[in-house]
Amino acid sequence: MQSATVEAVSANRRQFYDRLTPKAMAPLWEVLKGLVPEQPKSKFAAHVWKYAEARPLLMEAGSLLTAEEAERRVLVLENPAMPGGSRITATMYSGYQLIMPGEIAPAHRHTASALRMVLEGNGGYTAVAGEKTTMQRGDLVITPAMSWHDHGQEEHKPVIWVDGLDLHMVNFYEAAFMDHGNDKTQILAKPEGFSTSEFGSGLGPMNPYSPFGQTSPIFNYSYSRSRPALMQIAAASLADPHVAHALRYINPLDGGWAMPTIATWLTHAPKGFETRALRSTDGRTIVVLEGEITLEIDGKTFTAGESDVAGIPSWMWTKIRASKDAVFFTFSDRAAQEKLGIFREERR
Ligand code: 1HN
């Protein structure tokens, strides 16, 4: 009988598998399809985090503990498909961070690269490798791998930003290190603006060097420069039907992405503009800076307004419509994927 034969074979096989287990071996043919899918099928969910919901909770956290106690007082944006995973997409960590007046988030350094997209409270600062930078809404501030950084503020209002870190990529490789400073704040070795003068003005040092290896030596890409640049380009050129108007943050030393692992760009979509559908293998996080967008991600619709954050997992068809004149910031693991030769996108 056919079925008896099949059962006998599978019993045979099962016995064989049982003998493999204690030898720390397993049959590939039982797992091959899952190991090598025909196309990406993300384990993560598309989601939008509303600033109006997050902010009061963040302020509550502000009265529960100090930034120093917390080391970093952040509400982690948890992908709803993986609660407790501390990740917004497969590879990226993100969260809303709060610094209250007079507080210090003490100096430390780690292998993970970090970015901040500033939302509130012009007057917060980050010091990176002995240079301080004051942060305004819309500024992109980066901290290169293993660079010392501390945050603080001399304002009377809360300072809030969105963090993005590549720490799940680093942890995947089991390559993570961290050091804590002896002092809470770094000794400042350079005046504010030094890096922008040295590398960020279309000029460079006579004896070229790269102070942060593969990471850009500019660590504050200020909105006061990026926004007008984007808007002028947008006003004088045609939008890409799949992307709208976008400019990348670049490392002036090589023209590549500002960070070796994390791609970052700034997009303007005029009111009423709707992108055509695009899917790509990078996991994306969008921070809306101005206006409002509607995202259609794999058939589900989400709305994201000012300071809301959207997570778009790998390989989900996405369309973005600007319900108001919109400016939004995106970060993703595209920079790492391109270096590994695995990045793909498809446009409809
Ligand atoms: C970190 O260093 C910061 O420096 C924020 O502000 C969030 C999450 C995990 C690990 C390090 C920061 C972090 C972090």
Side-chain angles (χ1 to χ4, degrees):
M1 244 164 54
Q2 177 68 22
S3 66
T5 313
V6 169
E7 271 167 37
V9 168
S10 61
N12 257 355
R13 287 185 188 177
R14 223 171 299 122
Q15 273 181 1
F16 173 64
Y17 299 165
D18 289 347
R19 284 162 48 223
L20 292 175
T21 309
K23 307 283 185 216
M25 289 185 270
L28 173 62
W29 56 90
E30 292 291 339
V31 293
L32 185 57
K33 282 200 175 72
L35 282 178
V36 191
E38 282 178 6
Q39 54 176 283
K41 191 173 186 317
S42 181
K43 292 190 281 292
F44 298 87
H47 191 72
V48 168
W49 288 262
K50 296 283 186 188
Y51 194 57
E53 288 176 11
R55 195 184 186 283
L57 296 168
L58 195 55
M59 296 312 292
E60 225 177 299
S63 59
L64 281 176
L65 79 176
T66 64
E68 203 175 322
E69 255 183 290
E71 187 160 347
R72 296 296 186 263
R73 193 204 287 110
V74 183
L75 292 185
V76 175
L77 303 182
E78 290 274 47
N79 191 285
M82 198 174 287
S86 296
R87 55 184 91 200
I88 188 157
T89 56
T91 58
M92 301 295 305
Y93 159 99
S94 190
Y96 284 117
Q97 179 161 177
L98 167 68
I99 311 273
M100 291 298 279
E103 283 191 333
I104 286 167
H108 69 200
R109 61 177 186 174
H110 37 68
T111 313
S113 298
L115 64 82
R116 337 270 163 210
M117 177 42 61
V118 183
L119 298 180
E120 257 193 61
N122 303 336
Y125 67 82
T126 289
V128 177
E131 185 183 329
K132 195 170 172 174
T133 187
T134 305
M135 301 153 92
Q136 317 278 337
R137 182 172 169 86
D139 290 358
L140 170 66
V141 175
I142 65 174
T143 60
M146 248 15 206
S147 60
W148 289 104
H149 54 286
D150 54 86
H151 318 297
Q153 67 137 304
E154 286 136 15
E155 273 255 314
H156 308 292
K157 290 180 280 183
V159 167
I160 302 174
W161 62 73
V162 173
D163 286 312
L165 283 91
D166 63 2
L167 61 90
H168 297 292
M169 287 189 237
V170 176
N171 289 346
F172 171 79
Y173 288 110
E174 300 187 319
F177 293 87
M178 184 180 205
D179 298 316
H180 290 91
N182 292 325
D183 300 314
K184 280 184 241 167
T185 54
Q186 295 168 71
I187 295 164
L188 299 177
K190 293 173 189 168
E192 180 158 2
F194 191 92
S195 306
T196 305
S197 298
E198 193 175 29
F199 293 104
S201 309
L203 300 166
M206 283 297 281
N207 293 315
Y209 73 111
S210 179
F212 299 112
Q214 294 179 47
T215 305
S216 168
I218 301 171
F219 59 92
N220 188 342
Y221 292 81
S222 88
Y223 201 50
S224 66
R225 298 173 76 180
S226 54
R227 186 188 191 280
L230 176 65
M231 289 311 196
Q232 188 179 18
I233 298 302
S237 51
L238 288 174
D240 179 319
H242 293 85
V243 174
H245 298 282
L247 290 174
R248 300 184 296 126
Y249 295 87
I250 61 164
N251 177 347
L253 296 177
D254 62 11
W257 300 106
M259 313 178 86
T261 48
I262 311 174
T264 50
W265 63 97
L266 190 67
T267 305
H268 167 58
K271 181 179 158 77
F273 187 91
E274 182 173 23
T275 67
R276 301 187 64 179
L278 179 146
R279 64 178 176 181
S280 53
T281 52
D282 54 338
R284 298 184 173 192
T285 301
I286 290 178
V287 182
V288 178
L289 290 169
E290 296 179 33
E292 188 185 75
I293 55 175
T294 305
L295 301 108
E296 196 188 306
I297 308 169
D298 257 8
K300 278 192 201 155
T301 304
F302 304 86
T303 302
E306 285 185 8
S307 304
D308 294 349
V309 176
I312 308 172
S314 167
W315 212 237
M316 291 188 179
W317 284 113
T318 302
K319 274 195 222 172
I320 297 178
R321 203 182 88 81
S323 26
K324 298 177 185 162
D325 265 335
V327 179
F328 54 95
F329 167 74
T330 308
F331 66 89
S332 90
D333 51 12
R334 176 174 176 164
Q337 289 196 21
E338 285 180 354
K339 287 186 182 67
L340 298 172
I342 60 175
F343 176 76
R344 264 209 217 190
E345 68 168 26
E346 201 178 331
R347 296 172 176 227
R348 249 185 201 156

